Amino acid sequence: MSRAVTRKAHRWRTVPPAFDRWHAVRSTLTFGLCLGAVTAVAGLHYGVFAAIGCYVDAYGTRDPYPRRGPVLGLLCAGFVVTFTAGSLVAGDVWAMTAVLAVVAGGATLFVHTLHLSGPGSYFVVLVSALAAFLPPVGLAETVTRAGCVAIGASVSWLSAMSGRLVRPYAPEERAVSSAFRSVAAFADTARRAAAVPPRGDSSAARRSACTAVHAAWAALEDARGRGTAPAPRRLALFDLMVRLEAVFDTLQNAAERGGDPVPATWAPWLRASAAAVRAGATPGSPLPPSGGSAPAPPNRAGGTPGAPPLSRPARAPRAPRLPPRRSLGAEMRHAVSSASPAPTVALRVALAVAVGTVLGWALPLLHPAWVAVGAAASLQGGPGRQPSQRVGSRFVGTVAGVAITVLVAQVHQPGTGATVAVATVVHGVSRGLPPSALLLRTLLNTPVALLLVDAVLPEPDLAPLAAYRLLDLTLGMCLGMAAALLVRGVPLRRVRAAVSVAVAATGSAVGERLRTGTFHAASAATAWQRTSDLWTMHASVPVEEIRATGTADRLWPSLLAIRRLLCWNLLRDASAPAPDESARVGDFLRALSGAARTDLPGSPGIGSALSRVPRTPRPAHEPELHRRLTALRSALEDAALPPPATEPPRETD
């Protein structure tokens, strides 16, 4: 992959999932139950507040249940607290501005820190802003309304956790299954590329497979508890992922260095394994059949003549047991560290919401909360999309939703029953759409919001309300874009720090492997966490930029090279300790880490710093480690990986 050939992050993401019928059914039942029951008991006015609490169902759909439960519980509490805070400061513009800015910034940090799947802090800001812009009420009424929000949030939490009774490991199984399918696609692509001279390019399929494998590891990481023994099924999935890493590593070796083609039997086996995992079973064979000659197995990477074929399960690597995941406090400390993108993102959202709150109060608008909400909307949601793309999708969806609402309002003014029924069905359908369908989600959500607001206004009239909705939201989106221009993207110093920290942690893990000859769980876990943080940075940079800068593409070769070093550490057999080699490799990687702080990969600054780094060490009996160390240096210096079928450049003594 050369610097002349770059791809935007959203172009290589895996294919978005199809319509999620189960999620749609759950959301429809939950929303309908809360809105309908509270409306029947207390009236539509309070039913709308219960419906607001149901917006919790937009979050955590891909998170494993051990993590989904407590994190969604915190989010439910956040909905109630932020709604109450917004209601208490209603009528005081400066108190509203302060509260909504803190809510927006704090919620953004919370979502980024915990990597909670969903539309960012958007709905948290929505809940608080709607309460703040309502006419001021007494404490008793505030408590009643907050109680309705709590009802909706609690029922949504129960709905989100209901799948645990049927398939407690379904989220992890889906992630692992997706990883197997993506590696199968890479195996097919690599085999076709090897069959066409000159050797074809399989980098896009490799990137997609690496993304899916990382997502599976992240799901298993999220499912691990602290101080409790993992369930047997999760241990089996962990073992499967280690074996999949072995296969994936071998495929990457074959794609990089040429040699024997990938056996044709591997891709079908990987797909069959994916189907088995998705169905809750375990594949019968731990490694794919060779179907003839096969590349050297990864646990003998770069290995010796006569290495056993990969089809022999006796050589399958055993899954090491990593220590418990880092604590919530450690995650919060990382969120505000120099290697995290979250503080800049939170500052930008808070600034846009604060200005939107002041303008919404000062201008003669029918529903001014939509200005602050629109500002947050332009900076939240839409995975893999830049702010300008998110604004475009939301604007087009809002225009279409307003047009539909106005047309309907010309012939029909829905009553309470019709409002509840239509809002419930449309809400459920929108929740079943894939996360990438931002335009269609906005189109469906706009009429629902208008119907609910219209139902509680003293003088309902959908047509002018829809027009103001378009005006207010457009103003808010313009504010969001202005904030994105003022606080531009993720600072490069944070990008450099994330690369440096990941290289340093990898150096410690590899150094411990060489020093002791065996896998060192604590240092390896830290290295994987720092690499995961770098992955988060790599994904965050392009979606926070107004104009594409190519920074994420320059990070990708270094991220992949670091990951390849960690795979060597994970899959390598036990060997004799080599303290001298450990010291040389550790010093080399520390020097690379220091150079990474000077500038972005591929820039003249890091090239100058790397020119002062000693030559790449050549550990005795470890040619594969030398190759991967050289690849990391090359990735930092050139922001490129060695082309297929070639070795990294060898340095002279």
Side-chain angles (χ1 to χ4, degrees):
M1 179 170 53
S2 66
R3 281 180 290 178
V5 181
T6 60
R7 296 179 177 88
K8 293 181 181 179
H10 62 274
R11 291 181 180 173
W12 55 263
R13 288 181 178 268
T14 54
V15 177
F19 184 80
D20 190 341
R21 289 174 294 180
W22 173 235
H23 189 199
V25 170
R26 284 194 294 106
S27 295
T28 300
L29 294 176
T30 302
F31 192 88
L33 174 64
C34 294
L35 178 57
V38 176
T39 297
V41 173
L44 184 56
H45 181 81
Y46 291 106
V48 169
F49 295 123
I52 289 174
C54 291
Y55 286 143
V56 168
D57 65 4
Y59 295 90
T61 57
R62 298 184 299 276
D63 296 283
Y65 292 114
R67 183 177 179 84
R68 184 187 304 185
V71 172
L72 276 189
L74 289 174
L75 186 65
C76 291
F79 267 45
V80 177
V81 170
T82 56
F83 180 90
T84 304
S87 184
L88 290 176
V89 298
D92 187 331
V93 60
W94 301 117
M96 289 166 54
T97 301
V99 166
L100 291 183
V102 170
V103 166
T108 303
L109 275 177
F110 173 82
V111 172
H112 271 259
T113 301
L114 299 181
H115 308 292
L116 181 62
S117 59
S121 61
Y122 169 62
F123 280 121
V124 184
V125 175
L126 172 67
V127 167
S128 187
L130 289 178
F133 280 99
L134 288 173
V137 295
L139 181 60
E141 179 65 12
T142 295
V143 171
T144 302
R145 293 176 176 182
C148 293
V149 174
I151 290 173
S154 300
V155 175
S156 291
W157 184 91
L158 292 172
S159 174
M161 296 299 293
S162 61
R164 190 169 191 170
L165 301 175
V166 182
R167 291 283 301 277
Y169 312 111
E172 304 98 295
E173 289 169 345
R174 284 195 298 267
V176 173
S177 175
S178 178
F180 270 86
R181 288 196 307 273
S182 294
V183 174
F186 174 55
D188 275 338
T189 303
R191 181 174 176 80
R192 288 194 298 269
V196 179
R199 194 176 186 89
D201 184 14
S202 58
S203 58
R206 179 191 199 183
R207 197 165 183 170
S208 180
C210 203
T211 301
V213 171
H214 171 76
W217 278 119
L220 292 177
E221 166 76 7
D222 288 343
R224 286 197 293 141
R226 300 182 181 93
T228 58
R233 178 57 178 167
R234 292 196 178 97
L235 287 178
L237 293 174
F238 189 87
D239 289 341
L240 280 174
M241 281 304 301
V242 174
R243 285 164 168 77
L244 181 63
E245 281 286 2
V247 175
F248 187 34
D249 197 71
T250 300
L251 291 172
Q252 292 181 90
N253 279 339
E256 289 174 4
R257 293 185 290 180
D260 293 331
V262 175
T265 53
W266 284 21
W269 178 87
L270 288 166
R271 291 192 180 91
S273 299
V277 172
R278 182 77 180 221
T282 301
S285 173
L287 291 173
S290 62
S293 61
N299 54 312
R300 296 288 185 90
T304 59
L310 189 60
S311 58
R312 295 183 184 175
R315 301 303 303 167
R318 296 300 304 165
R321 300 291 174 248
L322 298 181
R325 62 193 311 275
R326 61 187 178 191
S327 66
L328 180 61
E331 290 183 347
M332 294 300 296
R333 286 192 295 273
H334 170 74
V336 297
S337 72
S338 61
S340 170
T344 303
V345 180
L347 173 64
R348 188 158 64 180
V349 176
L351 175 64
V353 169
V355 176
T357 302
V358 174
L359 287 180
W361 179 269
L363 297 177
L365 302 174
L366 186 59
H367 205 298
W370 277 327
V371 180
V373 173
S378 63
L379 300 172
Q380 298 288 301
R385 301 184 181 189
Q386 296 168 296
S388 57
Q389 296 167 329
R390 293 198 288 265
V391 166
S393 296
R394 289 191 185 277
F395 180 77
V396 174
T398 301
V399 170
V402 165
I404 293 172
T405 305
V406 171
L407 289 175
V408 171
Q410 300 303 315
V411 297
H412 180 62
Q413 284 288 339
T416 299
T419 297
V420 171
V422 172
T424 297
V425 172
V426 175
H427 176 86
V429 172
S430 70
R431 289 295 179 264
L433 294 172
S436 57
L438 183 58
L439 188 152
L440 190 54
R441 279 176 177 266
T442 306
L443 188 153
L444 293 174
N445 288 332
T446 297
V448 172
L450 291 170
L451 283 173
L452 294 180
V453 172
D454 181 65
V456 298
L457 287 178
E459 296 181 2
D461 193 347
L462 270 176
L465 183 64
Y468 272 102
R469 159 83 176 196
L470 181 58
L471 173 65
D472 302 347
L473 201 64
T474 301
L475 175 60
M477 289 178 179
C478 291
L479 287 177
M481 291 299 295
L485 289 170
L486 183 62
V487 185
R488 299 187 65 180
V490 180
L492 294 183
R493 67 180 183 277
R494 291 184 174 271
V495 179
R496 298 194 299 266
V499 177
S500 176
V501 169
V503 172
T506 301
S508 297
V510 173
E512 283 295 321
R513 157 70 78 171
L514 292 172
R515 186 180 66 83
T516 63
T518 58
F519 181 85
H520 190 258
S523 62
T526 300
W528 281 99
Q529 288 166 355
R530 298 295 177 263
T531 303
S532 180
D533 295 336
L534 177 58
W535 196 291
T536 300
M537 179 68 74
H538 169 262
S540 297
V541 168
V543 302
E544 302 302 336
E545 296 174 332
I546 295 296
R547 299 178 185 88
T549 61
T551 301
D553 289 308
R554 297 170 74 175
L555 284 179
W556 171 250
S558 299
L559 177 56
L560 182 57
I562 292 170
R563 199 179 185 286
R564 296 277 279 144
L565 268 176
L566 291 177
C567 287
W568 176 88
N569 184 38
L570 175 68
L571 302 173
R572 185 67 187 171
D573 282 339
S575 58
D580 294 340
E581 301 290 3
S582 171
R584 281 194 289 272
V585 170
D587 290 342
F588 173 74
L589 287 172
R590 279 190 292 273
L592 291 189
S593 173
R597 282 192 178 272
T598 61
D599 212 336
L600 289 177
S603 62
I606 199 172
S608 176
L610 287 171
S611 66
R612 298 186 292 272
V613 174
R615 64 186 180 87
T616 308
R618 292 178 179 273
H621 310 298
E622 296 289 355
E624 179 65 17
L625 178 57
H626 169 73
R627 194 175 77 87
R628 299 193 189 200
L629 291 171
T630 306
L632 175 56
R633 181 171 189 159
S634 175
L636 290 172
E637 189 168 15
D638 300 328
L641 292 172
T646 63
E647 293 280 357
R650 293 185 177 275
E651 298 169 319
T652 57
D653 293 334

